[in-house]
Amino acid sequence: MLDFGQEVEQRLPHLRVPPPERTGTLVRLVGLTLETRGIMAPVGACCEVVGQHGHRIEAEVVGFNDKTLFLMPFTDPVGVGPGDMVRILHRSSQVSLGPALLGRVIDGRGQPLDGKPAPVCEETLALMGKPLNPMERGPIEHVLDVGVKAINGVLTVGQGQRIGLVAGSGVGKSVLLGMLTRFTKADIVVIGLIGERGREVQAFISESLGEEGLAKSVVIAAPANVSPVMRLKATHMTHVIAEYFRDQGMNVLMLCDSLTRVAHAQREIGLAIGEPPTAKGYPPSVFALLPNLIERGGVGRHGHGSITAIYTVLAEGDDANDPIVDIARASLDGQVMLSRKLADAAHYPAIDLTGSISRLMQSLLRPDDLKMSNRLRRMWTLYQQNLDLIQVGAYERGSNPELDEAIVLHDRIVNFLRQDMDKGEDYDATRNELRQLMAH
């Protein structure tokens, strides 16, 4: 004779109460990954490995093969061994968000790095965010004053635009990023320092942000010495915090330094779990990850708030055709190219108008302002294309009237594009200066 509960279970097996969560056993450590059996968990779940002597580390599920789970630890796996117990802490990554994050420096799990108590936030969202329907997004129709003359005048950016700062190492990406942080007129600034040198975190906060800048900012730091899975979590944390404030109706400036280090983190994870390498050793998951990240920026639903996203992109070996540079160029709404040649000549910010573009300028500027900006670009590019002839004296004045004009204006254009890193330039003042320059 079956009781009522047993009869229900036989007739409706999908209503059976699942057994208590089992624990798994650590069976293997290969490179960056731990392998465990005995538990079932989805990709992205957070697990805890408990050593036989009480040593504990947390790890994330990054893949599986049949009944074997691949885990990547958040910290160094020293101290774990075969047979250690593995248990699930969370089946999905959730983050706590709220205004208490303002003025704080946190890691990829939301833990404080500034020595203060953990921020108390009441709202919880999925780390990966929710994709917006492209038909619900508002248009990009308002100019964003970034305080940098070369960008305001010739590469005008709109609220909700996604821009890349592309350069080799040591050309001034971080300095320009600091200028954008201080001078851009935004309600909230969210800064992700991903995979860079650890000393730059403190330097960026004290020198680039300052107390006033930090008060309206959230800094998420995951330097190069942390696990690749922590670097990826910090990247997603940067984006979900920006999305949270955007959905509050605010205009957010999100800075991610750097997109290339994010790609490196995903490459380490992909290769560790057996993905095949493709261009420059990057597995296919890298080329799926980057466009998904970039699409999380932009204007919110029906124009409600915006995320203006600025990503630094490292052109390794000054190779402008690096695969990460290529995919960033294809996915972003424009790029600012930084030139080593200009940096060597003490021209800062070292913005090279040749190759730089803002794809939304024509919809943001009035026709006469757009014509002036394009004319300055034309003068700059024409001079650079004929620089060798000019320097050796092989060019004769009068051969090309447009080039003659470019030679006359060159010094004034250079002075216009240069800027002191500690001084912001207002958008309207920049426009007036550009009109005066091109009127001659």
Side-chain angles (χ1 to χ4, degrees):
M1 187 77 179
L2 296 175
D3 62 25
F4 178 75
Q6 291 173 325
E7 186 175 355
V8 169
E9 282 191 349
Q10 282 193 356
R11 293 185 180 181
L12 303 172
H14 63 282
L15 293 180
R16 289 175 184 167
V17 178
E21 190 71 70
R22 293 188 299 169
T23 59
T25 302
L26 195 63
V27 296
R28 196 179 181 199
L29 167 62
V30 181
L32 300 174
T33 57
L34 307 171
E35 297 182 11
T36 184
R37 290 189 178 185
I39 56 171
M40 304 300 290
V43 172
C46 181
C47 299
E48 182 182 52
V49 181
V50 182
Q52 297 176 3
H53 301 288
H55 184 75
R56 296 170 183 263
I57 65 167
E58 291 186 21
E60 184 173 300
V61 179
V62 294
F64 59 88
N65 182 7
D66 194 13
K67 296 183 179 180
T68 302
L69 295 183
F70 300 136
L71 311 177
M72 187 159 286
F74 295 152
T75 56
D76 200 311
V78 172
V80 302
D84 286 352
M85 183 183 74
V86 181
R87 65 188 184 94
I88 300 172
L89 295 178
H90 311 288
R91 288 190 166 271
S92 62
S93 295
Q94 302 284 325
V95 293
S96 298
L97 303 171
L101 291 171
L102 291 175
R104 301 303 303 273
V105 184
I106 59 176
D107 66 9
R109 290 183 289 173
Q111 299 301 311
L113 296 174
D114 51 12
K116 300 176 182 179
V120 179
C121 303
E122 297 181 356
E123 191 162 349
T124 302
L125 293 176
L127 181 65
M128 306 305 290
K130 293 181 179 178
L132 289 180
N133 183 334
M135 297 303 294
E136 294 181 353
R137 284 187 183 271
I140 299 174
E141 54 189 5
H142 300 293
V143 170
L144 180 67
D145 184 356
V146 300
V148 177
K149 283 198 297 183
I151 298 178
N152 277 344
V154 196
L155 302 167
T156 310
V157 174
Q159 289 181 359
Q161 192 168 344
R162 289 83 51 91
I163 289 286
L165 302 183
V166 183
S169 57
V171 182
K173 294 190 302 299
S174 296
V175 173
L176 180 55
L177 202 66
M179 294 173 68
L180 294 170
T181 304
R182 291 194 303 276
F183 305 142
T184 300
K185 294 180 180 178
D187 299 324
I188 300 290
V189 181
V190 181
I191 305 162
L193 302 176
I194 315 298
E196 296 297 326
R197 293 178 289 272
R199 68 168 179 82
E200 289 187 343
V201 176
Q202 178 64 31
F204 188 88
I205 293 168
S206 59
E207 298 172 12
S208 297
L209 273 180
E211 291 186 10
E212 185 178 348
L214 184 60
K216 67 168 188 176
S217 303
V218 186
V219 179
I220 304 92
N225 63 321
V226 304
S227 164
V229 74
M230 277 294 287
R231 280 176 260 152
L232 273 190
K233 287 179 78 71
T235 305
H236 290 298
M237 176 74 82
T238 302
H239 286 73
V240 77
I241 291 174
E243 289 169 336
Y244 169 79
F245 286 111
R246 177 197 64 194
D247 292 342
Q248 305 298 314
M250 298 181 181
N251 292 316
V252 181
L253 173 66
M254 183 184 72
L255 309 172
C256 186
D257 184 19
S258 73
L259 196 66
T260 305
R261 305 302 185 196
V262 174
H264 289 177
Q266 182 60 43
R267 177 170 64 182
E268 291 177 48
I269 294 173
L271 295 179
I273 61 176
E275 274 195 85
T278 56
K280 250 192 176 179
Y282 291 104
S285 59
V286 171
F287 302 106
L289 170 69
L290 298 186
N292 285 338
L293 283 176
I294 291 168
E295 280 300 312
R296 294 177 70 171
V299 181
R301 284 185 174 87
H302 310 297
H304 187 66
S306 67
I307 299 174
T308 304
I310 298 178
Y311 298 92
T312 63
V313 184
L314 176 63
E316 296 183 348
D318 290 344
D319 181 9
N321 295 315
D322 179 89
I324 302 304
V325 176
D326 268 347
I327 195 168
R329 254 197 309 244
S331 304
L332 293 166
D333 301 320
Q335 68 271 350
V336 176
M337 307 294 292
L338 302 185
S339 164
R340 189 174 301 279
K341 185 182 294 185
L342 292 176
D344 291 342
H347 178 123
Y348 292 109
I351 296 174
D352 188 355
L353 300 184
T354 306
S356 299
I357 189 172
S358 171
R359 294 193 174 107
L360 297 175
M361 274 188 67
Q362 64 271 17
S363 60
L364 294 171
L365 297 181
R366 294 177 305 188
D368 55 337
D369 285 337
L370 181 62
K371 185 177 179 180
M372 276 191 306
S373 297
N374 287 339
R375 183 162 167 253
L376 186 145
R377 286 174 57 91
R378 171 73 177 162
M379 294 292 102
W380 171 272
T381 303
L382 196 59
Y383 186 91
Q384 298 300 320
Q385 289 173 344
N386 294 275
L387 181 59
D388 292 341
L389 291 176
I390 297 168
Q391 287 180 334
V392 300
Y395 173 73
E396 293 185 7
R397 295 283 180 98
S399 303
N400 183 337
E402 197 173 21
L403 181 54
D404 290 343
E405 184 182 9
I407 294 171
V408 171
L409 290 176
H410 179 68
D411 288 343
R412 296 184 63 194
I413 290 174
V414 168
N415 289 332
F416 174 80
L417 296 176
R418 282 178 174 171
Q419 184 174 336
D420 187 344
M421 63 177 288
D422 296 320
K423 183 182 177 184
E425 297 286 348
D426 181 77
Y427 175 79
D428 292 332
T430 298
R431 278 282 147 205
N432 290 332
E433 186 178 346
L434 179 59
R435 289 189 191 100
Q436 294 173 6
L437 170 62
M438 303 312 295
H440 292 77

